[in-house]
Amino acid sequence: MSCKNETGKLTEIEGKQIPIDSTIAQTDSITDFVEPYKNRINEILDSTLAYAPKPLLLNDGERTSSMGNLMADIVFEEAAPIFNSRSGKELDFVVLNAGGVRSVISEGNVSARNAYEVMPFENYIEVVELSGSATRQLINFVAKSSRRHPVSGIEIITDKEGALESVNIQGQPFDESRNYFVATSDYLVNGGPSVGFFDEIVSRTATDYLLRNAIIDHFKKVDTLKAVADERIKQLD
């Protein structure tokens, strides 16, 4: 409710909370109107795109996970050609944040709905160019983190104290004298959860490609989802 004074200017606004619960009766005409659209959406979301012979989990490896590895590998596979076509450069590796992978994929048929469960956010894939020193900071952050941040195209080995032992990017030793191109989500590039991923950026290249759409496109391309919790990030005993 709003109140106005004699001059017609708004002087006060009052409101109250109206709970939306089972006590509110549904309107049949609205339900009937929405039903065919709802059914069509469910049909699209639940149609089988691929098959998972075993569950893809978030905690099945010491430093990586099968679900995180799948996600990072999908980003690399789908974003690399787009980045190359727009920049003429080659993508070096992928880093995502553990919190951005929101669900597992159970054994069985895999649908677009699974992609929405794994990535419910409207995050786009973006490629950032980092100097060698900034790349080292990023690698150190991932290596020392207690969380399983998904990566692809890079292998990180640390000693038992967490210090870098070796780093290979695309099968080649890390070279701090050069710049690297890293694919990630625009959420992280724009500040994300303040995890310190990207403090110094030389350049940014948008792909205009939703991360979720990349997942769905990958599902459509493959018959069977294959991913394991490997040792792309490893801490020595």
Side-chain angles (χ1 to χ4, degrees), residues 90-117:
E90 298 296 329
L91 182 63
D92 291 302
F93 63 99
V94 172
V95 175
L96 304 173
N97 65 313
V101 188
R102 305 300 290 187
S103 180
V104 303
I105 291 179
S106 301
E107 177 182 345
N109 292 335
V110 179
S111 66
R113 188 180 298 276
N114 293 120
Y116 275 84
E117 292 168 349

Side-chain angles (χ1 to χ4, degrees), residues 33-96:
F33 178 81
V34 170
E35 192 69 19
Y37 299 97
K38 177 183 176 181
N39 291 341
R40 178 56 179 159
I41 290 173
N42 287 334
E43 179 184 344
I44 294 172
L45 287 178
D46 293 327
S47 60
T48 299
L49 303 178
Y51 179 78
K54 60 181 181 179
L56 299 171
L57 306 175
L58 294 169
N59 59 356
D60 49 348
E62 290 187 11
R63 297 301 313 277
T64 67
S65 70
S66 55
M67 187 64 241
N69 286 352
L70 176 66
M71 190 107 140
D73 289 346
I74 287 174
V75 170
F76 197 107
E77 177 183 330
E78 301 295 335
I82 298 175
F83 174 64
N84 179 260
S85 69
R86 295 190 175 189
S87 68
K89 307 290 186 179
E90 298 296 329
L91 182 63
D92 291 302
F93 63 99
V94 172
V95 175
L96 304 173

